[in-house]
Each structure stands twice: as structure tokens, then as C-alpha cells.
Amino acid sequence: MASAKLTLNSNVRLSRSGHYIPLLGFGVYQNYDAKTSVLEAFKAGYRHIDTAQAYKNEAACADAIHESGLDRSDIFLTTKCISKTHGYESTKRGLDESLAKMRFDYIDLFLIHDPYAGKDLRLQTYKALLEGKSAGKIKAVGVSNFNVKHIEEIKAAGYELPDVNQIELHPFCQQKPIVEYCKANDIVVEAYCPIIRGKMDHPVIQEIAAKHSRDPAQVLIRWSLQKGYVPLPKSATPSRIHSNAQVYDFELDEEDMRKLDSLDRGKEGAISWNPVDVD
């Protein structure tokens, strides 16, 4: 279980790249005023921003970074390429387009957004990203929504394993086989939808929140942190952006964790696209 001494500045080392990723990230999916939200997130202390080419707000996130006055080296920025853009040449072009759009020399973490394109295109895309890493355009390479079989095909092709796998994770959808595999192979697990898109009215969540005098969202984020994940809560509401970062001055006890762990419904508990089982 994670220590209560964690802070908003806590991070974890990525085993392949050697870089460090902040333990709490700020997601911007479907955020149509991402610049304002990211600037607010910086005020709240976040230094880890998670965007994607498909979100169509890479430039807005970058504008916030440029205008924040923060050093680029103090920000950990993630983007992703979705399956319709997969392929060796198209991925290389997409990487350069993202860099140009954001006016940066490098991206901290570049993920394959999903496995839908099929094995051949997945491997071509991964190869292109590794070459981008070798060229200094990417600090670390990872995947998203990948199951064990998808990561095993990377290993079988003779490529280094990803630094990160970003998957849907919350008490109702715990994806234990994927998590166990990633932990056994030193792959950092990022949790998207960590606050279940606001669907937090379950009695167990409400009970634990009341016990600690916390918002349900704070309980869920703390659960992710204590499980060893990197949660990526998202919000466009300033008060929520700040409260979601205030999760370091309390700790869930063993009984709290046991109760939350017992809520797992497997695949039935997913609330997002969760395409981990595609061929």
C-alpha cells in the first residue's frame, strides 16, 4: 500500500527510458477549453498533462504550457496516436505534426492509443515510435488499452517493452490480469476514468468518503494511488480540478481498500470503450 507521505510532486521511474512520471496526471479528453483547464491544473500543482491526437486539443494544452511560465522540463506531457493513423510512415508524420502543433522539440510520453489497427500496423507504429525515441523526439514510448497478448507480440518482435500501459481502471473495472502482467514486467499502469466519469453514488464509495470527510472522487483517486497506479482524473470545473489534487493528507485503511476491491465486476464494470480484447 502506498505511503501517506506521497505528495503532488511524487513520481515513479520509467524502467526503459529512465525518466520519471508524476504519479498524478490531468486528463483532457472531451475538454473543449483545455487551455483554461490546464492553466488551472498548473495552479493546483499538476505537472503531468495527458492529451491525444484524437482529442484535438494538443495545441491548446501546449499553449497553456507556453503561457504558464513553467519550465518545459518541469512538465510531463503525453499524447497518443489512434488506430486510424497507425502505420510506420503515418506515425512518423503524425509525431512530427504533433511536435509542430505544440511547438516543442520533444514529447515526454507517446502512446499507441488503442490496438484496433491489427498486429502488423501495431508493430509498425511501435517501431516508428521507438525510432522517434532514438531521435530524441520522444522521451518514453508506451501503449494504451493493450491486453497481455498485445504486449507479448511486441516482445516476440524483439522490441523493448513499453514503459507505460494506460487502461480503464477503477474499483468496478480492475483488469487484474493486465495489471499483474504489467507490474511483473516493470510497465507503469496508468488509470483512465479513475473517478468513473462521476458515477460515484455506490454506497461503499459514499460510506468511505463520509468516513474520511472526503469527496468520493478523492477516495477513488487515493485508491488508484495506493494500488500503485498513475490516475488521470479530468475535469473542466476549477473547484474539482483543485479538489482532485488534494489526496495526499489522508490514507485509506486496509478495510477501505478491501471494500473497494470487492466492487470489481470485470469487463461488465467498464464504462468506457475498453478495447483490450480486440485481435
Side-chain angles (χ1 to χ4, degrees):
M1 184 177 294
S3 168
K5 294 180 181 179
L6 288 171
T7 72
L8 193 54
N9 296 318
S10 294
N11 52 44
V12 62
R13 186 177 183 273
L14 299 174
S15 61
R16 275 90 202 176
S17 67
H19 294 281
Y20 288 83
I21 183 171
L23 284 181
L24 183 65
F26 183 71
V28 294
Y29 172 62
Q30 290 187 331
N31 190 321
Y32 304 110
D33 189 12
K35 176 181 172 181
T36 299
S37 296
V38 171
L39 284 170
E40 196 65 42
F42 289 150
K43 293 177 185 177
Y46 295 86
R47 294 295 182 266
H48 173 184
I49 307 300
D50 181 85
T51 184
Q53 292 173 346
Y55 298 171
K56 301 188 183 303
N57 56 19
E58 287 177 316
C61 292
D63 287 344
I65 295 170
H66 286 294
E67 294 181 22
S68 68
L70 297 168
D71 288 341
R72 173 66 183 90
S73 60
D74 292 334
I75 307 299
F76 192 97
L77 178 64
T78 299
T79 194
K80 319 174 190 75
C81 57
I82 204 162
S83 54
K84 67 181 181 181
T85 70
H86 289 178
Y88 179 75
E89 293 295 342
S90 57
T91 298
K92 288 171 64 177
R93 286 194 302 271
L95 167 58
D96 287 340
E97 288 168 2
S98 288
L99 287 168
K101 191 179 299 180
M102 294 191 282
R103 295 174 286 142
F104 291 134
D105 296 327
Y106 69 92
I107 293 165
D108 295 277
L109 175 63
F110 206 118
L111 305 180
I112 299 179
H113 204 154
D114 65 272
Y116 276 121
K119 178 180 177 179
D120 288 346
L121 288 176
R122 285 194 294 265
L123 290 176
Q124 289 179 35
T125 299
Y126 197 76
K127 178 183 178 183
L129 293 180
L130 289 178
E131 289 183 5
K133 177 183 173 184
S134 295
K137 297 178 180 180
I138 301 168
K139 298 294 186 184
V141 173
V143 295
S144 181
N145 296 298
F146 271 40
N147 211 327
V148 172
K149 62 184 179 182
H150 303 128
I151 302 175
E152 279 290 298
E153 72 191 18
I154 291 173
K155 181 189 292 186
Y159 297 131
E160 67 178 44
L161 290 180
D163 262 321
V164 168
N165 188 15
Q166 183 182 124
I167 56 177
E168 178 176 346
L169 276 176
H170 46 76
F172 299 126
C173 181
Q174 296 182 33
Q175 313 225 59
K176 293 177 182 177
I178 302 175
V179 169
E180 290 169 4
Y181 175 90
C182 288
K183 289 190 173 183
N185 287 277
D186 294 321
I187 299 170
V188 170
V189 176
E190 291 188 333
Y192 72 77
C193 295
I195 55 176
I196 326 175
R197 291 184 175 168
K199 299 175 182 177
M200 301 176 286
D201 57 352
H202 192 282
V204 168
I205 298 173
Q206 294 290 323
E207 170 197 334
I208 295 172
K211 170 183 172 180
H212 292 278
S213 300
R214 294 286 171 166
D215 291 337
Q218 293 171 322
V219 167
L220 291 170
I221 294 166
R222 185 71 202 189
W223 177 84
S224 276
L225 290 169
Q226 291 184 208
K227 297 293 283 189
Y229 310 148
V230 175
L232 305 167
K234 69 183 187 72
S235 180
T237 304
S239 61
R240 290 295 182 189
I241 291 171
H242 284 261
S243 66
N244 287 346
Q246 295 166 0
V247 291
Y248 297 98
D249 56 351
F250 78 106
E251 186 171 13
L252 302 176
D253 60 33
E254 291 184 7
E255 181 66 8
D256 298 330
M257 295 296 286
R258 185 194 64 77
K259 288 180 177 179
L260 290 168
D261 288 349
S262 72
L263 300 181
D264 190 20
R265 302 207 307 263
K267 297 174 187 176
E268 297 298 319
I271 59 166
S272 186
W273 59 335
N274 193 37
V276 296
D277 289 329
V278 304
D279 292 332

